């Protein structure tokens, strides 16, 4: 395993190359470092190498890291895991973003529970674009109605869409799925100008995601190495 600093350099170069290859400005793609299961020492290495945005999947683990790094005002924390309503308060109180809105009840609770002294919580609606086995996310058919309801909540800001497509070995099928997301995102932007974020692409599919308009890639393994769930 190479140093995290070198991995970050490589990922940034991969983002730049993928963007340039399809004529996009590399600065329009944000790198979210997915640090779930990783110790704070790993995040410290990433921060020392200039990384400021981190994604966490588990509420308690994420909150502990946010509190550990609370003296650093430059960091931005994204909740990217499935969210149960009994955990929404911790997300509303501590995180800057939530990528996994899949029902009005959760968005409503996050808005109600967002502390008054904080900016509205940035939220993304999660689309279940191709993974029939996953219960997370809504269908594209359900998107217009949910977006309309989320957009009017006072303490959340609808910033766009997120998807975790099923792993796909055929590049054409993979692109087709990403293209569907791109189209849905453009339509959403037409109605909600503040929606500027399409969160898609992970270690194995980030290049195709960038080609299809992703503005935020969520990268764990390529930065921090493989995850070991048994010790966490
Ligand atoms: C774990 C995770 C990632 C990172 O995946 P890698 O393949 O390790 O890059 C991205 N997004 C979500 C929602 C995740 O749970």
């Amino acid at each position: 395993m190479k140093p995290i600093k070198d991995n970050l350099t490589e990922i940034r170069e991969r983002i730049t190359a993928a963007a340039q290859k399809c004529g996009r400005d590399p600065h329009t793609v944000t790198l979210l470092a997915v640090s779930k299961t990783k110790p704070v020492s790993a995040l410290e290495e990433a921060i020392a190498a200039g990384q400021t945005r981190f994604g966490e999947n588990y509420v308690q683990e994420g909150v502990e890291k946010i509190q550990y790094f609370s003296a650093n005002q430059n960091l931005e924390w994204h909740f990217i895991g499935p969210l149960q309503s009994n955990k929404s308060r911790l997300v509303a109180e501590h995180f800057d973003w939530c990528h996994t809105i899949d029902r009005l009840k959760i968005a409503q609770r996050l808005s109600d529970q967002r502390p008054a002294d904080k900016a509205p919580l940035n939220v993304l609606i999660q689309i279940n674009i191709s993974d029939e086995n996953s219960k997370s996310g809504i269908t594209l058919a359900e998107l217009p109605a949910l977006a309309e309801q989320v957009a009017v909540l006072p303490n959340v800001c609808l910033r766009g869409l997120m998807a975790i497509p099923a792993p796909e070995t055929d590049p054409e099928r993979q692109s087709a799925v990403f293209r569907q997301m791109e189209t849905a995102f453009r339509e959403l932007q037409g109605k909600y100008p503040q929606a500027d974020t399409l969160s898609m692409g992970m270690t194995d599919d980030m290049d195709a995601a960038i080609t299809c308009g992703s503005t935020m890639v969520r990268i764990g393994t390529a930065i921090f190495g493989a995850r070991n769930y048994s010790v966490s």
Side-chain angles (χ1 to χ4, degrees):
M1 183 67 203
K2 285 200 304 276
I4 287 168
K5 181 176 191 288
D6 296 354
N7 293 336
L8 277 167
T9 303
E10 254 172 49
I11 283 290
R12 291 185 191 121
E13 284 168 0
R14 229 174 109 187
I15 290 172
T16 300
Q20 283 172 346
K21 204 169 150 196
C22 61
R24 292 185 59 196
D25 175 356
H27 295 106
T28 60
V29 184
T30 298
L31 172 58
L32 186 66
V34 176
S35 44
K36 62 180 179 227
T37 79
K38 298 297 174 182
V40 291
S41 58
L43 283 82
E44 272 163 347
E45 274 186 69
I47 292 165
Q51 182 63 30
T52 55
R53 296 181 175 91
F54 292 91
E56 288 284 338
N57 287 58
Y58 310 104
V59 176
Q60 197 56 46
E61 181 190 342
V63 169
E64 278 167 25
K65 288 173 182 167
I66 292 169
Q67 285 171 337
Y68 181 88
F69 288 107
S70 61
N72 188 336
Q73 294 295 310
N74 295 324
L75 303 183
E76 191 177 275
W77 296 95
H78 293 237
F79 186 75
I80 63 171
L83 182 54
Q84 295 159 356
S85 33
N86 62 352
K87 300 269 177 70
S88 64
R89 180 176 297 279
L90 284 168
V91 171
E93 288 179 348
H94 296 280
F95 282 84
D96 302 299
W97 288 68
C98 178
H99 289 218
T100 49
I101 302 298
D102 60 359
R103 54 200 191 278
L104 178 61
K105 184 184 170 194
I106 282 286
Q108 180 86 63
R109 286 176 69 94
L110 290 170
S111 181
D112 291 347
Q113 294 166 341
R114 185 69 169 168
D117 62 341
K118 291 202 173 208
L121 182 72
N122 297 298
V123 298
L124 304 177
I125 293 177
Q126 182 176 355
I127 306 295
N128 187 347
I129 195 70
S130 62
D131 191 349
E132 283 115 38
N133 298 320
S134 163
K135 286 179 205 73
S136 302
I138 60 167
T139 64
L140 286 177
E142 294 167 316
L143 175 58
L146 184 58
E148 212 173 292
Q149 292 170 313
V150 172
V152 296
L153 296 173
N155 301 321
V156 299
C157 180
L158 178 60
R159 295 291 295 271
L161 302 178
M162 180 271 216
I164 312 172
E168 179 64 76
T169 46
D170 177 60
E172 250 160 60
R173 280 204 299 263
Q174 185 179 54
S175 298
V177 169
F178 282 140
R179 290 284 178 212
Q180 276 185 289
M181 284 300 299
E182 183 178 31
T183 304
F185 176 56
R186 297 278 167 244
E187 280 172 22
L188 188 79
Q189 276 191 307
K191 259 182 127 173
Y192 309 98
Q194 78 279 17
D196 57 1
T197 302
L198 178 55
S199 165
M200 66 180 191
M202 319 203 320
T203 292
D204 289 333
D205 59 11
M206 60 170 275
D207 306 87
I210 290 170
T211 306
C212 298
S214 168
T215 71
M216 188 177 286
V217 290
R218 308 178 308 265
I219 309 298
T221 307
I223 297 173
F224 297 110
R227 287 175 291 273
N228 185 347
Y229 286 98
S230 61
V231 297
S232 66

